């Protein structure tokens, strides 16, 4: 057989082989799920497979309306085994069970004008117990509330902890945390920690996902809803699988404050209040000042307290400033501190009394109105008023009703009668001058900082704009992603490629910005595995506006 005959024979065999490729079997339709025994608030993966049924369409999945669909997608593949071709298209659903009971799922598929039913899945959903003993699972959420019975105005701590034995690529709440009937204050990401813990002899990584301080705005039964948390579990070097978990819903009973025996002037301070005071000097020269420092602390709501003494104390000019104010969570208990500096400037000499004061608050532990007290004290003021009485240019203080004045004296320069120039001299209290100098210094310092920040921001904005112009001109998605990475690295000093989502969320506080970034990250990491389209440039345009 010559060479040309061999080539012809090979071509003939190839043609015959191609013509013998057929589908392996009849069309098959199947429904599968991770487990038939589910837990309330934990997501599962549901898959509807259409085998050897090109052109088939999913009409519906009976019973899926009882579940929350968190995400969905499709995939397809063609296999050739022993000259038999098979085609499979899969519909993927990530579903979350929101209540307990027994449920049945069944797919309905339309193919060649007929309706076909898949197999049935009979599911049992069990209830989570008290924080659910999910320590037997490899990943779970725990919801902790410091109190479920409080008084109106009292602050309560809410905490979400994630326990996992998996390697995570990151996590984030699927929706914004909104607490109706509460004022919520979230502790910054820098205060949230990760640590290793052992539960029933198993080692977990515990992530403090969120910690919030809640203040009720109404009385009665108030509900904290359940929220969904998306975790991205690593399945390899470049891929991850989304697992959704939900927090426990919580009920809080908010009691009204008693109206009987409510003190006059009660401002709404609720909690366990401790108070300390310290007077800087008990002997001062006339024209000098002393400072009374007052520190209030405890598991108490001090939001309504912004003044200690009022505006006047007999014998003194009073200047009050809030020196420091901090809030934190100790263990699972709210704690706050407020410092006030009250500058007291005497306007007469002798022994002057600083009156004691009482701050009314409601103590939830004793269920009574109580008082935090500052004891009265005395300071001795010497000198001052008698000095300079022989100076004809000073005002007689005895005629001024002990009020501080600024003296302006006009002096005519007799040595220069041609120019007839006039001069003014000012007499001002030393303490006033000190305060004025401090205010002026602080103002100048703040202006310098503002100017520097504005220049830096303008410079940053210009550099970001240059990178964004490159993105607009680029068509390659990989290069666009590289440029986006440059923008984020320049703006937040973190890499979308080199850092995990958890590390990124620790650097970036903007939840909306994170949501847009994560969508692009997921798309770029999984586009080789999933048939999905995303307008990357449009997404980056939105991100650029947020920056």
């Amino acid at each position: 057989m010559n060479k040309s005959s061999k080539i012809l024979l090979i071509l003939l065999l190839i043609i015959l082989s191609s013509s013998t490729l057929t589908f392996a079997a009849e069309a098959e339709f199947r429904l599968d799920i991770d487990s038939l025994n589910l837990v309330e608030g934990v997501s599962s993966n549901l898959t509807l497979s259409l085998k050897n049924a090109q052109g088939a369409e999913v009409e519906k999945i009976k019973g899926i309306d009882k579940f929350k669909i968190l995400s969905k997608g499709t995939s397809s593949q063609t296999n050739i085994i022993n000259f038999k071709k098979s085609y499979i298209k899969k519909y993927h659903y990530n579903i979350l069970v929101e209540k307990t009971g027994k449920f049945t799922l069944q797919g309905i598929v339309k193919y060649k004008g007929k309706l076909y039913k898949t197999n049935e899945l009979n599911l049992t959903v069990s209830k989570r117990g008290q924080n659910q003993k999910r320590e037997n699972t490899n990943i779970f959420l725990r919801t902790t509330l410091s109190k479920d019975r409080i008084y109106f105005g009292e602050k309560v701590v809410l905490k979400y902890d994630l326990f996992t034995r998996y390697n995570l690529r990151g996590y984030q709440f699927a929706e914004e945390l909104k607490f109706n009937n509460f004022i919520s204050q979230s502790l910054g990401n820098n205060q949230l920690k990760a640590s290793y813990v052992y539960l029933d002899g198993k080692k977990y990584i515990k992530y403090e996902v969120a910690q919030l301080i809640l203040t009720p705005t109404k009385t009665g039964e108030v509900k904290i809803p359940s929220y969904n948390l998306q975790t991205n579990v690593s399945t390899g070097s470049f891929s991850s699988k989304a697992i959704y978990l939900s927090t426990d819903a919580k009920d809080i009973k908010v009691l009204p404050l008693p109206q009987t025996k409510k003190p006059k002037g009660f401002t709404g301070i609720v909690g366990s209040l401790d108070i300390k005071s310290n007077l800087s000097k008990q002997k001062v020269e006339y024209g000098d000042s002393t400072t009374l420092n007052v520190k209030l602390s405890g598991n108490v709501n001090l939001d309504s307290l912004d003044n200690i003494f009022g505006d006047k104390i007999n014998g003194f000019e009073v200047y009050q400033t809030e020196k420091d104010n901090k809030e934190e969570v100790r263990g699972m208990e709210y704690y706050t501190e407020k410092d006030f500096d009250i500058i007291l400037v005497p306007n007469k000499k002798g022994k002057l009394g600083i009156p004691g004061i009482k701050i009314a608050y409601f103590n939830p532990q004793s269920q009574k109105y109580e008082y935090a007290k500052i004891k009265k004290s005395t300071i001795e003021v010497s000198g001052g008023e008698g000095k300079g009485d022989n100076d004809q240019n000073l005002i007689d203080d005895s005629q001024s009703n002990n009020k501080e004045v600024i003296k302006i004296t006009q002096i005519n320069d007799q040595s220069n009668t041609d120019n007839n120039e006039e001069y003014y001299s000012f007499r001002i209290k030393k303490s006033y001058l000190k305060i004025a100098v401090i205010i002026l210094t602080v103002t100048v310092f703040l202006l310098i900082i503002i100017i520097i920040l504005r220049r830096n921001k303008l410079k940053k904005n210009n550099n970001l704009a240059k990178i964004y112009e490159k993105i607009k001109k680029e068509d390659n998605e990989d290069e666009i992603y590289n440029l986006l990475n440059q923008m984020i690295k320049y703006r937040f000093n973190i890499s979308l490629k080199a850092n995990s989502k958890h590390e990124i969320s620790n650097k970036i506080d903007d939840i909306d910005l994170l949501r847009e970034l994560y969508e692009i990250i997921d798309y770029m990491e999984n586009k080789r595995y999933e048939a999905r389209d995303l307008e990357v440039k449009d997404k980056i345009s939105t991100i650029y506006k947020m920056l």
Side-chain angles (χ1 to χ4, degrees):
M1 184 179 290
N2 58 30
K3 187 176 181 181
S4 58
S5 300
K6 288 182 180 179
I7 294 172
L8 185 60
L9 180 60
I10 291 170
L11 290 173
L12 184 60
L13 289 172
I14 292 173
I15 295 170
L16 289 172
S17 298
S18 301
S19 63
T20 57
L21 292 178
T22 59
F23 286 109
E26 294 182 356
E28 295 180 18
F29 308 104
R30 181 169 182 80
L31 196 61
D32 295 288
I33 196 167
D34 292 340
S35 173
L36 296 177
N37 298 309
L38 306 179
V39 177
E40 176 191 24
V42 178
S43 68
S44 293
N45 295 305
L46 178 71
T47 303
L48 175 56
S49 301
L50 282 60
K51 188 175 182 181
N52 301 326
Q54 288 179 300
E57 297 179 355
V58 177
E59 285 285 302
K60 64 178 179 177
I61 298 179
K62 292 170 61 177
I64 202 168
D65 56 318
K66 306 295 183 183
F67 297 78
K68 184 172 184 177
I69 300 176
L70 301 173
S71 65
K72 55 185 177 180
T74 60
S75 63
S76 59
Q77 65 183 64
T78 302
N79 298 320
I80 300 175
I81 301 174
N82 296 329
F83 298 106
K84 292 183 178 181
K85 183 166 65 172
S86 65
Y87 171 81
I88 300 176
K89 185 172 184 178
K90 294 182 179 181
Y91 291 82
H92 305 280
Y93 305 86
N94 195 285
I95 61 174
L96 183 72
V97 198
E98 296 185 307
K99 57 184 179 179
T100 60
K102 294 186 180 296
F103 303 91
T104 300
L105 296 177
Q106 186 178 42
I108 307 295
V109 179
K110 187 175 183 180
Y111 179 53
K112 292 184 177 180
K114 295 181 180 180
L115 294 180
Y116 295 85
K117 295 181 180 180
T118 69
N119 56 303
E120 287 188 347
L121 296 178
N122 296 308
L123 309 178
T124 300
V125 181
S126 59
K127 186 174 180 60
R128 294 184 295 187
Q130 184 70 14
N131 276 329
Q132 216 254 345
K133 290 208 172 184
R134 288 165 284 178
E135 285 75 0
N136 294 325
T137 66
N138 290 321
I139 185 167
F140 63 92
L141 264 176
R142 177 177 291 169
T143 305
T144 310
L145 192 63
S146 60
K147 300 176 184 178
D148 58 9
R149 181 184 172 92
I150 60 175
Y151 279 91
F152 183 76
E154 193 175 357
K155 298 202 176 191
V156 65
V157 178
L158 175 66
K159 189 177 180 184
Y160 297 125
D161 293 316
L162 173 64
F163 295 80
T164 178
R165 289 168 55 81
Y166 295 126
N167 180 21
L168 298 185
R169 289 187 176 273
Y171 56 80
Q172 65 175 356
F173 280 101
E175 62 259 273
E176 184 181 355
L177 301 183
K178 292 182 179 179
F179 301 94
N180 294 329
N181 305 314
F182 287 97
I183 298 171
S184 64
Q185 177 186 349
S186 177
L187 296 185
N189 288 333
N190 59 330
Q191 297 187 49
L192 301 178
K193 302 174 183 177
S195 58
Y196 287 104
V197 296
Y198 283 89
L199 301 173
D200 291 342
K202 294 181 180 179
K203 187 178 181 181
Y204 288 81
I205 301 177
K206 174 187 172 184
Y207 294 102
E208 295 179 347
V209 175
Q211 202 168 41
L212 303 109
I213 299 168
L214 305 179
T215 309
T217 58
K218 61 172 284 188
T219 59
E221 295 287 344
V222 186
K223 192 175 189 67
I224 295 175
S226 174
Y227 293 99
N228 297 319
L229 181 79
Q230 177 184 337
T231 63
N232 300 307
V233 177
S234 175
T235 57
S237 56
F238 297 104
S239 61
S240 61
K241 179 178 71 172
I243 295 179
Y244 290 84
L245 306 169
S246 65
T247 65
D248 292 320
K250 295 286 184 179
D251 293 315
I252 299 180
K253 186 170 186 178
V254 183
L255 305 171
L257 294 174
Q259 297 302 308
T260 57
K261 298 183 180 180
K262 180 185 284 190
K264 185 178 180 181
F266 174 71
T267 59
I269 300 173
V270 180
S272 179
L273 177 62
D274 182 51
I275 189 167
K276 294 178 181 178
S277 64
N278 178 59
L279 189 63
S280 63
K281 292 183 288 186
Q282 291 185 303
K283 291 184 178 181
V284 297
E285 292 286 328
Y286 181 78
D288 203 352
S289 65
T290 185
T291 301
L292 177 67
N293 174 258
V294 179
K295 176 179 282 189
L296 303 102
S297 62
N299 179 6
V300 60
N301 185 349
L302 296 175
D303 293 347
S304 60
L305 183 66
D306 54 12
N307 192 296
I308 299 292
F309 274 107
D311 297 329
K312 295 181 180 179
I313 299 177
N314 186 32
F316 296 92
E317 297 289 342
V318 182
Y319 304 91
Q320 299 189 61
T321 60
E322 187 178 311
K323 182 181 176 182
D324 192 21
N325 181 18
K326 73 175 183 180
E327 293 179 285
E328 61 187 20
V329 175
R330 295 183 174 181
M332 270 302 292
E333 187 173 89
Y334 171 75
Y335 177 82
T336 186
E337 284 184 3
K338 250 188 183 184
D339 276 1
F340 290 89
D341 275 348
I342 299 100
I343 302 172
L344 303 171
V345 184
N347 54 30
K348 57 185 177 181
K349 69 178 183 178
K351 288 188 176 181
L352 303 180
I354 302 173
I357 63 168
K358 298 191 300 183
I359 299 176
Y361 68 98
F362 180 78
N363 188 339
Q365 294 181 352
S366 64
Q367 301 181 12
K368 294 179 182 178
Y369 290 99
E370 298 177 4
Y371 290 94
K373 299 178 182 179
I374 299 175
K375 293 182 179 180
K376 64 181 180 180
S377 55
T378 302
I379 69 168
E380 187 174 335
V381 183
S382 58
E385 288 185 326
K387 291 183 178 181
D389 287 341
N390 294 328
D391 190 342
Q392 61 181 357
N393 292 324
L394 297 181
I395 293 178
D396 183 359
D397 287 332
S398 62
Q399 311 243 339
S400 64
N401 195 25
N402 288 326
K403 292 183 179 179
E404 290 295 332
V405 298
I406 298 175
K407 172 65 178 176
I408 303 176
T409 305
Q410 179 175 328
I411 303 175
N412 291 326
D413 186 359
Q414 301 297 332
S415 64
N416 192 355
T417 55
D418 294 336
N419 293 332
N420 195 26
E421 293 179 348
E422 295 181 348
Y423 301 88
Y424 293 91
S425 64
F426 296 86
R427 178 173 175 262
I428 187 169
K429 190 189 293 185
K430 285 192 296 181
S431 59
Y432 290 175
L433 183 61
K434 288 179 183 177
I435 294 171
V437 171
I438 291 171
I439 292 173
L440 181 61
T441 303
V442 171
T443 302
V444 172
F445 181 69
L446 289 174
L447 285 173
I448 292 172
I449 291 176
I450 291 170
I451 291 170
I452 292 172
L453 290 175
R454 283 184 175 177
R455 286 181 178 177
N456 289 339
K457 185 176 180 182
L458 182 61
K459 183 179 178 182
K460 281 189 175 182
N461 289 342
N462 288 337
N463 289 334
L464 289 174
K466 290 178 182 177
I467 299 173
Y468 181 61
E469 285 301 317
K470 292 181 181 179
I471 289 174
K472 290 197 293 185
K473 296 175 183 177
E474 184 60 54
D475 293 323
N476 184 281
E477 281 190 345
D478 292 328
E479 184 58 31
I480 290 172
Y481 188 46
N482 289 334
L483 291 169
L484 172 64
N485 190 46
Q486 289 181 29
M487 291 176 71
I488 300 303
K489 200 181 253 188
Y490 182 80
R491 177 68 176 80
F492 299 104
N493 193 28
I494 194 165
S495 171
L496 300 179
K497 294 182 174 183
N499 296 94
S500 68
K501 287 184 179 179
H502 177 60
E503 291 169 325
I504 294 170
S505 65
N506 284 339
K507 276 278 190 180
I508 303 175
D509 294 328
D510 191 328
I511 294 175
D512 294 328
L513 176 59
L514 285 172
R515 187 181 297 113
E516 300 292 337
L517 288 173
Y518 287 162
E519 188 171 354
I520 291 181
I521 292 171
D522 291 339
Y523 170 73
M524 294 302 297
E525 288 184 352
N526 299 312
K527 68 177 184 177
R528 71 184 69 181
Y529 307 109
E530 298 179 1
R532 182 188 170 203
D533 291 326
L534 181 70
E535 294 295 334
V536 177
K537 282 192 178 182
D538 291 343
K539 283 287 178 186
I540 294 178
S541 173
T542 302
I543 291 169
Y544 176 66
K545 292 173 184 177
M546 293 180 177
L547 298 178

